[in-house]
Amino acid sequence: MKTLQAAISGEVFVPGEAGYDQARQAWNLAMDQRPAVVVVADSAADVAEAVRYARTHRMRIAPQGTGHAARPLEPLDGAMLLRTSRMRGVRIDPATRTARAEAGALWQDVTVPAARHGLAALAGSSPSVGVAGYTLGGGLGWLARRYGLAANSVTAAELVTPDGDLVRADAGHEPDLFWAVRGGGGSVGVVTALEMQLYPVGELYAGDLFFPIQRTAEVLDAWRAWTGTVPDEVTSIGRIMRFPPLPAVPEPMRGRAFAMVEAAYLGDAGTGAELIQPLRRLGPDLDTFAMIPAPALQQLHMDPDQPVPAQGDGALLADFPAAAIDALIAVAGPDADTPLASIEVRHLGGALARPAPDGGAQANIDAKYAMFAAGFTPTPELAATVRGHAQAVKDALAAWQAGYDYYNFEETPAAASAVLPPASYHRLQKIKASYDPDQAIISAHPVRLLT
Ligand SMILES: Cc1cc2nc3c(=O)[nH]c(=O)nc-3n(C[C@H](O)[C@H](O)[C@H](O)COP(=O)(O)OP(=O)(O)OC[C@H]3O[C@@H](n4cnc5c(N)ncnc54)[C@H](O)[C@@H]3O)c2cc1C
């Protein structure tokens, strides 16, 4: 490892060495990653050196930014964990309405400077999720029904191939790699930077409605009916939320349980208020709707702002009719004994349903809703319990499940075939075979080679 350390400006850690434990720690504190070596890269040149070193020494390579999605990864024994977490440089170009984000950038690194130019990126619900992992796996955010998946707004990717070459993939170069990274996950190389389209969004009308959890059936029924009436400018979530009794949780929610609707409307307050009125009329306990700046969208979902131990699982739903709501309530509603902190159902459709012109591996999503259920897991016993309950939610909704799951919400180990449309998976297998025949790159959802 000394030769690698001498060749890069970043850092190299092996087991037993000071710094190894910190360097291998994922954002998801429930995960205990034990790679043979951790490389914390400072630059694309470091990434290329690390990849070449790993290949020479027959090590597999797991690229990772934050470790939000460490849970589905296969064990890293004998592998190199290649962390991009220090590579957080972001450049906003207001003239072309694009951003270039290095592979370790978090969404807050993009949304805040973009907003200074009246621009918004297709970020997800959490400011601390990594731009790279989120976008490679699709990227479902608050503007999704209007502008689609983040992956299809990528205009270029810079990546180090499994051969150790730094290449640029865009509309004119490396068409297979460009297609694969836009929704197919990070299995064809180590991304060092992404360029993406930004959108002229200053403020939006957005917020949450909190109802007592006892009203879940009424609230979810009303929300589901409402999703059939709203324009693409509205993206929303129906949710059951049980807040832990922790000091970090704001007082009105601490230790309480709610049925919720969260929504963002790309437009003015007057029209937004009219749109939300059918749900507001139900009389929520708490109503936070207001005009907010685009970066504040990332507070709407109240994701944990610090690393936590957690487990979750998700599914795409072809539909979410009244019978599905009943099935969900039976396992996670007001009377259910469940350790799940959150069960959310996101409204898809709109731009997500229409294949993006020249789109990538997830050109669209052929499902009307996406479900994600998760709980905190401070102990291994609780981890097993939470996993079981998340699976029970998935099982309860099995009759409405689409043909495949959503890449980013699949937190249990699963091959990429389970989280991509079949035609995309088959094309990805061919690209993987051509660029990574030795399966050197470990990704959240592996692409198995054709035999
Ligand atoms: C609190 C929370 C909120 C979330 N909200 C949303 C949401 O609103 N919408 C949504 O779509 N998803 C959401 N997700 C899911 C999230 O998008 C995935 O977990 C995503 O993989 C995280 O990306 P990351 O870079 O932070 O994580 P990491 O664990 O660092 O990366 C995940 C995977 O991406 C790949 N990868 C990462 N960096 C690279 C790279 N440089 N080169 C090649 N491959 C790479 C690897 O396969 C890696 O295993 C959320 C997750 C959490 C925990």
Side-chain angles (χ1 to χ4, degrees):
M1 299 299 167
K2 288 212 171 64
T3 47
L4 177 58
Q5 181 61 82
I8 66 171
S9 74
E11 288 184 275
V12 178
F13 300 98
V14 293
E17 216 171 60
Y20 172 78
D21 283 338
Q22 198 190 340
R24 72 187 175 88
Q25 181 61 61
W27 188 91
N28 186 341
L29 301 178
M31 305 321 297
D32 184 24
Q33 314 185 101
R34 293 190 174 275
V37 56
V38 189
V39 177
V40 185
D42 273 350
S43 63
D46 279 4
V47 171
E49 282 293 346
V51 169
R52 289 196 284 265
Y53 181 92
R55 297 309 309 275
T56 306
H57 294 83
R58 296 181 172 282
M59 256 183 215
R60 298 182 71 210
I61 305 149
Q64 189 172 76
T66 66
H68 269 87
R71 161 95 180 100
L73 276 185
E74 58 194 271
L76 299 182
D77 308 87
M80 172 188 284
L81 179 61
L82 181 40
R83 301 215 62 166
T84 58
S85 41
R86 285 189 195 161
M87 297 167 57
R88 287 177 63 175
V90 170
R91 210 173 51 222
I92 307 293
D93 184 344
T96 57
R97 289 185 177 161
T98 54
R100 177 184 183 277
E102 286 188 312
L106 310 182
W107 270 117
Q108 66 198 15
D109 301 335
V110 178
T111 57
V112 174
R116 289 189 200 116
H117 303 280
L119 297 170
L122 301 186
S125 61
S126 162
S128 66
V129 159
V131 171
Y134 167 93
T135 306
L136 294 169
L140 196 54
W142 282 116
L143 309 179
R145 282 176 32 82
R146 174 67 180 80
Y147 294 118
L149 286 170
N152 293 317
S153 280
V154 168
T155 52
E158 294 161 28
L159 67 160
V160 173
T161 65
D163 288 340
D165 300 322
L166 179 59
V167 300
R168 180 182 167 90
D170 59 24
H173 308 90
E174 301 283 0
D176 281 342
L177 292 178
F178 186 50
W179 178 88
V181 295
R182 288 178 299 143
S187 67
V188 291
V190 184
V191 170
T192 57
L194 291 175
E195 288 176 16
M196 69 201 79
Q197 194 67 52
L198 302 173
Y199 296 93
V201 178
E203 291 201 318
L204 314 83
Y205 188 71
D208 301 337
L209 302 177
F210 294 76
F211 301 86
I213 192 169
Q214 287 72 20
R215 297 183 65 187
T216 300
E218 174 197 3
V219 171
L220 289 186
D221 273 327
W223 170 72
R224 186 272 325 276
W226 180 75
T227 59
T229 67
V230 294
D232 294 357
E233 283 73 18
V234 175
T235 297
S236 69
I237 299 177
R239 191 174 194 190
I240 303 171
M241 184 91 184
R242 290 170 167 88
F243 289 92
L246 298 175
V249 178
E251 199 280 318
M253 290 107 187
R254 195 179 306 148
R256 291 186 63 196
F258 297 93
M260 294 181 60
V261 175
E262 304 171 353
Y265 166 60
L266 259 170
D268 62 88
T271 317
E274 263 173 48
L275 282 164
I276 206 79
Q277 185 53 23
L279 298 173
R280 203 169 239 164
R281 210 183 292 129
L282 298 176
D285 281 6
L286 193 65
D287 175 345
T288 68
F289 274 86
M291 290 303 287
I292 61 166
L297 280 174
Q298 297 198 290
Q299 312 305 326
L300 218 59
H301 201 53
M302 300 167 292
D303 286 331
D305 58 2
Q306 295 298 321
V308 290
Q311 304 267 346
D313 209 349
L316 287 176
L317 305 176
D319 208 349
F320 189 54
I325 294 176
D326 290 346
L328 175 60
I329 287 173
V331 290
D335 301 326
D337 182 13
T338 175
L340 296 172
S342 166
I343 304 102
E344 62 181 280
V345 180
R346 297 192 183 196
H347 181 209
L348 308 180
L352 294 164
R354 298 185 285 271
D358 303 315
Q362 291 185 56
N364 65 322
I365 298 186
D366 189 14
K368 289 185 180 159
Y369 297 89
M371 182 281 292
F372 185 69
F376 300 108
T377 59
T379 64
E381 296 73 38
L382 211 50
T385 311
V386 167
R387 258 200 312 279
H389 279 265
Q391 183 62 48
V393 170
K394 217 166 154 170
D395 291 346
L397 296 173
W400 299 277
Q401 226 175 313
Y404 61 98
D405 290 333
Y406 173 48
Y407 196 108
N408 280 349
F409 286 177
E410 182 57 274
E411 284 209 350
T412 55
S417 55
V419 290
L420 290 173
S424 286
Y425 182 66
H426 293 137
R427 180 166 173 195
L428 198 54
Q429 278 182 306
K430 290 191 190 131
I431 298 171
K432 178 83 172 171
S434 153
Y435 281 89
D436 188 15
D438 301 328
Q439 307 241 47
I441 305 291
I442 297 173
S443 61
H445 299 295
V447 179
R448 313 242 182 259
L449 293 186
L450 294 160
T451 49

